[in-house]
Amino acid sequence: QKEVEQNSGPLSVPEGAIASLNCTYSDRGSQSFFWYRQYSGKSPELIMFIYSNGDKEDGRFTAQLNKASQYVSLLIRDSQPSDSATYLCAVKGDSNYQLIWGAGTKLIIKP
Amino acid sequence: NAGVMQNPRHLVRRRGQEARLRCSPMKGHSHVYWYRQLPEEGLKFMVYLQKENIIDESGMPKERFSAEFPKEGPSILRIQQVVRGDSAAYFCASPTSTDTQYFGPGTRLTVL
């Protein structure tokens, strides 16, 4: 059973600080990794994806992938109250077309 | 929502009625995923379709649920004889060649 694990939270971070969200996965053959943000009552929206080991930066967001340790993380710098949402991690293996989804981490940015 | 359309946005049905949810993927795309999300829970894969073909329906309940994606028109997720436990948000997603999925706004189904 392929799994993606996330801490459900809530993770509370003061405004302006760095928020760190983590995700582990069980399928060592996974190739593609995605972070989505979902506001309450809304649909998931893509933040970024990463395929290679290391860091990938996009504005205030940095995704970090470590395939050897089977984890992917998302860092949010200079956290804003508008970043308060649930963050979903999704992983795609090399054997099929489905994304395997984590249950999400609820992030709260406190002003 | 990257051009993925779903309707209706909200749907209220009484127990025993039928619910039909529609999804049009991004323009020029011919595949859709359907997901269900119960309140305060994660996304659950239901079915993956391309036009005129069901690729993977391993997440669909065995009874009452069906999905199609005809050659013309939107993909339809059909729930027959709805029960209160079917109340959820139903999302469709349009995949790209890089495996990224773009979601529609969802349909919130409420069963009374």
Side-chain angles (χ1 to χ4, degrees):
Chain A
Q1 181 79 3
K2 298 173 184 176
E3 294 182 339
V4 174
E5 300 286 340
Q6 294 183 257
N7 188 321
S8 62
L11 174 65
S12 185
V13 173
E15 184 176 359
I18 296 175
S20 178
L21 303 159
N22 298 312
C23 171
T24 59
Y25 59 94
S26 62
D27 181 6
R28 188 168 286 279
S30 298
Q31 297 293 321
S32 309
F33 307 85
F34 305 85
W35 282 101
Y36 285 78
R37 175 176 63 197
Q38 186 176 25
Y39 293 112
S40 181
K42 302 295 185 182
S43 60
E45 55 180 329
L46 179 71
I47 297 176
M48 58 194 309
F49 55 85
I50 186 167
Y51 301 139
S52 305
N53 271 330
D55 295 1
K56 180 181 179 182
E57 187 175 316
D58 184 0
R60 295 187 297 113
F61 298 96
T62 299
Q64 299 177 318
L65 175 60
N66 184 322
K67 288 186 178 181
S69 300
Q70 294 177 243
Y71 81 79
V72 56
S73 60
L74 181 70
L75 303 179
I76 307 174
R77 289 182 299 281
D78 188 24
S79 297
Q80 303 296 310
S82 59
D83 294 326
S84 297
T86 296
Y87 289 79
L88 303 171
C89 171
V91 174
K92 184 184 177 301
D94 61 355
S95 58
N96 62 39
Y97 33 72
Q98 273 193 42
L99 293 185
I100 309 300
W101 293 83
T105 298
K106 186 172 184 177
L107 175 65
I108 299 172
I109 306 300
K110 291 190 171 181
Chain B
N1 300 110
V4 182
M5 297 192 295
Q6 288 188 253
N7 64 79
R9 298 287 297 274
H10 299 274
L11 182 61
V12 178
R13 285 288 178 266
R14 297 191 180 277
R15 281 178 297 168
Q17 291 184 320
E18 178 180 288
R20 282 190 179 226
L21 289 62
R22 290 176 289 275
C23 168
S24 296
M26 293 187 292
K27 189 174 182 179
H29 289 235
S30 59
H31 293 73
V32 294
Y33 288 84
W34 283 96
Y35 292 91
R36 177 165 62 178
Q37 188 174 40
L38 295 170
E40 305 301 318
E41 293 191 12
L43 288 169
K44 298 299 182 187
F45 165 79
M46 299 184 76
V47 62
Y48 176 41
L49 308 114
Q50 70 176 136
K51 282 189 183 286
E52 300 185 283
N53 187 31
I54 298 174
I55 299 174
D56 182 354
E57 57 181 349
S58 59
M60 289 278 272
K62 294 284 188 282
E63 298 177 350
R64 303 190 296 110
F65 285 74
S66 62
E68 63 176 358
F69 194 3
K71 186 177 180 180
E72 302 292 335
S75 174
I76 296 174
L77 179 67
R78 182 182 178 202
I79 312 172
Q80 295 178 291
Q81 299 175 321
V82 296
V83 301
R84 288 218 173 104
D86 296 332
S87 295
Y90 292 83
F91 296 103
C92 75
S94 189
T96 70
S97 58
T98 58
D99 300 321
T100 304
Q101 294 184 17
Y102 292 96
F103 285 79
T107 294
R108 271 82 183 163
L109 173 65
T110 301
V111 179
L112 301 177

